[in-house]
Each structure stands twice: as C-alpha cells, then as structure tokens.
C-alpha cells in the first residue's frame, strides 16, 4: 500500500512500496520512511489449519499494514513429524509451545536413530502450503518471512529440555554436560537437525519466501558457558544460514531474550538483519550494536510499555519519540520493530504507530 499524498506531505522523495523500502534499507539507501514491523500474538486456535491460519494472517497484515510479514507459525511445528505429543490448545491464549505432553526424544536410542524427515509430508508440508498461499497472495508487495528455529533450539524442543517434569533423565546434568560427555553422538544429532532445518528452509524458499525469521536459541542459551556456545551451538547455526546464502535475500536473526547471551558472537552470522529486545535494560542498545556491525538493525520500540496508556496522543508522542531516537542510533540501515512477540492487548495501538510512520514520510 502506498501512502496517499496527504500522508506523504510535500516531500521530494517519491513514496515507496513496501518491497522497495525494505530492499533500499538492506542496501543502506535513502527511504521515504523506515520500514516497520510487529508480530504476534500467536494464532493458537488457527495455526494447524491451513485455511483458517492463512486467512487470519492475511487479515492481520492487511489491517496493520506492516512492511514485512513475519509468519507466526505454531512454536512446535518442527517437532510434530518426529512424534512429539502436543496437547490441543483450548483458547486463544493457550500457546502451543507450552503444550508438549511427551517429547519426541526420551531416550538415548532416539538420538542414535535420528534422521531427517520427508518435508513433503506431514506438518512441514502443511506449513509449506501455508507459506505458499501467503507468498502467492502478497506476491512482490510484502516480504514473507517464515519462522525457523535453529538446530540447537530444535534439539531442546525435541527433548523438552528445561522442563524438569518432561525432559529425559540423560539430560539431568544439563545439555552441555551431555554434549561434552557424548560428543560423537551430540555432533551427529546436530548435523542431522541442521540438515532438517536446511530442508525446511529450502521448502519455504521454493514457494516464495523472501527469507526467514531465524531464532537460534533464546532462553535455551541461559547458563551456558561461552566456550560451550562456541563449540556446541554456533557452528551449526552458521552452517544452516550459509546454506541459504544467495537464495534468501532477507533473513532477520532474532536473538530472543530479555537478557541476550553471546550476541557479539552472532553479529557476523550470515543474515541481513538483527533483531533483539533492545529496550530491555539488560541488553545492548541499537547504538552499541551499530558501533560493532553494519547489518540492518531492527528494534526501537518497547512492546512492554510504549503501546500502553489510555491517552492516545501520549501513546503516539511516545512512539514517535522512540522511533526517531532509534533512527538516530541505528542510522539508515534500520527497521522499526518490536523485540519479540506482541501481547494481544497492544495490537489495537498498531494503528497509532502506523500514523507515526506516515508522518515520518512527510
């Protein structure tokens, strides 16, 4: 959707399409205004039904008019074809990623026998069809970014690691202890899961995905030593991301956590953009990361505070102030974004943020 003359004002720069705007930012070229994006909440009642999910995603994007579509797939879609037992969600707040009843990998033998799955069948085929429908609908107007979880996060999901009531006994000492004591097996599992991640990305690229919302680990990195991260986790994310170089033109690396770990070691992973909860006091600012890296930086607004309040004018003023400051910190390679999934109660304020972005184009 192009801005109207009234929205655009008397600017000498031609109004840009979403695709033009995003591609220009990736190259550090001037834009009429920064692209903007939010995502969430999860569509917990729709996300396993192709028709319901794609209609809901299209309605969401068309309502909020974001420059990029991050697809809010269910948080365990990558485990389903391995036999993960996931209870049905019962209401819109009943997130799938919390619903594992029985992990796919419950014993050492499960790891020893791990293989890639056929991505033309089962849950991945369902997800691929969803992405195809979205890409066909938006064609060359909005970049569509499916959600991808990195190999280590996938391993944690498949073992329900971190859930003491469900994780297998062989992980009682922690995933890194298991990795150190069973290196050959651990490396084998990570190799297979990395290939599975690449196969999923290949399937999504074939139906038109521009790239990915790629999440390496998030809170699964908590309490891991730096040397363990560098030896047992990072190399496989690098392999997965390198496998799509030249084919995915816009991948955002989402470093998920209110207190990110190892961010400096992720700055040179092969992705075009970085997104993290920059508003968190425990995380680096856009300005700090800009001093270290030339990638597109995505952030600037706080999903936990900036959209709240009964006074619409105050909310709008705060959003504008935060966005303008983020533009200053990040420079031209900047996309205004939230730091993670948006709570349901802030989505009615996205229209206010849209007004802010239109005014920035004047």
């Amino acid at each position: 959707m192009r801005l109207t003359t009234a929205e655009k004002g008397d600017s000498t720069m031609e109004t840009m399409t979403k695709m033009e705007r995003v591609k220009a930012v990736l190259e550090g070229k001037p834009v009429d205004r920064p692209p903007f994006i939010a995502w969430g909440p999860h569509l917990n009642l729709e996300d396993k039904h192709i028709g319901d999910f794609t209609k809901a995603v299209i309605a969401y994007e068309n309502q909020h008019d974001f420059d990029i579509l991050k697809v809010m797939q269910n948080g365990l879609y990558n485990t389903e074809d391995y036999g993960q037992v996931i209870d049905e969600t019962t209401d819109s707040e009943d997130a799938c990623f919390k619903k594992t009843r029985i992990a796919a990998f419950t014993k050492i033998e499960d790891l020893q026998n791990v293989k890639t799955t056929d991505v033309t069948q089962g849950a991945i085929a369902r997800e691929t069809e969803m992405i195809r429908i979205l890409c066909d609908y938006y064609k060359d107007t909005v970049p569509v970014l499916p959600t991808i979880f990195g190999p280590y996060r996938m391993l944690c999901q498949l073992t329900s690691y971190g859930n003491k009531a469900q994780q297998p006994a062989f992980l009682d000492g922690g995933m890194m202890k298991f990795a150190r004591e069973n290196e050959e097996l651990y490396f084998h599992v990570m190799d297979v899961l990395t290939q599975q991640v690449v196969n999923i990305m290949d399937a999504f690229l074939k139906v038109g995905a521009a790239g990915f919302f790629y999440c390496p680990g998030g809170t699964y990195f908590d309490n891991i030593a730096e040397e363990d991260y560098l030896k047992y986790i990072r190399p496989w994310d690098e392999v997965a991301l390198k496998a799509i170089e030249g084919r995915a033109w816009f991948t955002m690396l989402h470093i998920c956590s209110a207190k990110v770990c190892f961010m400096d070691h992720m700055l040179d992973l092969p992705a075009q953009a970085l997104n993290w909860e920059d508003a968190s006091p425990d995380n680096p600012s856009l300005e700090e990361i800009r001093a270290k890296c030339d990638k597109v930086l995505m952030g600037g607004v706080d999903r936990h505070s900036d959209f709240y309040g009964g006074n619409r004018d105050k909310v709008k003023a705060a959003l504008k102030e935060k966005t303008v400051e983020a533009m200053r910190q990040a420079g031209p390679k900047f996309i205004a974004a939230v730091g993670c999934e948006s709570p349901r109660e802030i989505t009615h304020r996205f229209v206010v943020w849209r007004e802010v972005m239109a005014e920035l184009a004047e």
Side-chain angles (χ1 to χ4, degrees), residues 25-75:
V25 163
L26 291 179
E27 297 177 16
K29 294 180 178 178
V31 289
D32 56 346
R33 63 162 175 82
F36 81 127
I37 175 180
W39 55 94
H42 277 94
L43 299 167
N44 299 305
L45 296 177
E46 296 86 9
D47 58 17
K48 291 185 181 179
H49 186 278
I50 293 171
D52 291 352
F53 181 71
T54 52
K55 289 174 185 174
V57 171
I58 289 168
Y60 179 93
E61 167 61 20
N62 289 353
Q63 177 184 359
H64 301 307
D65 204 24
F66 294 127
D67 291 287
I68 302 154
L69 173 56
K70 185 275 192 198
V71 187
M72 289 295 290
Q73 292 148 279
N74 93 65

Side-chain angles (χ1 to χ4, degrees), residues 69-219:
L69 173 56
K70 185 275 192 198
V71 187
M72 289 295 290
Q73 292 148 279
N74 93 65
L76 290 172
Y77 80 85
N78 55 343
T79 70
E80 292 179 51
D81 293 335
Y82 282 96
Q84 193 109 334
V85 179
I86 305 165
D87 288 334
E88 285 189 358
T89 53
T90 57
D91 60 66
S92 60
E93 301 301 324
D94 194 20
C96 167
F97 65 85
K98 302 175 182 176
K99 302 290 287 183
T100 290
R101 180 153 44 93
I102 303 173
F105 299 165
T106 60
K107 52 189 183 298
I108 291 286
E109 290 75 17
D110 294 330
L111 299 181
Q112 293 169 334
N113 296 323
V114 65
K115 295 179 175 63
T116 58
T117 70
D118 182 354
V119 297
T120 67
Q121 303 293 321
I124 305 305
R126 178 194 71 214
E127 300 297 309
T128 302
E129 178 63 7
M130 290 173 176
I131 302 305
R132 185 197 65 76
I133 291 170
L134 295 172
C135 291
D136 284 354
Y137 181 88
Y138 288 107
K139 299 189 185 301
D140 294 327
T141 63
V142 181
V144 175
L145 306 185
T147 300
I148 293 290
F149 301 110
Y152 179 75
R153 182 177 177 120
M154 189 173 176
L155 175 58
C156 292
Q157 291 170 315
L158 287 163
T159 57
S160 284
Y161 180 60
N163 185 331
K164 296 297 185 183
Q166 294 178 345
Q167 74 180 29
F170 65 78
L171 292 179
D172 283 350
M175 187 69 79
M176 290 299 97
K177 182 175 185 293
F178 173 80
R180 288 191 294 270
E181 294 177 354
N182 302 270
E183 278 196 347
E184 184 176 354
L185 175 58
Y186 177 86
F187 291 159
H188 167 68
V189 172
M190 289 293 284
D191 286 344
V192 173
L193 294 184
T194 299
Q195 187 59 56
Q196 178 73 4
V197 169
V198 171
N199 291 349
I200 294 171
M201 292 193 290
D202 283 344
F204 293 165
L205 287 170
K206 287 176 182 176
V207 295
F212 302 99
F213 177 98
Y214 185 100
C215 183
T219 55

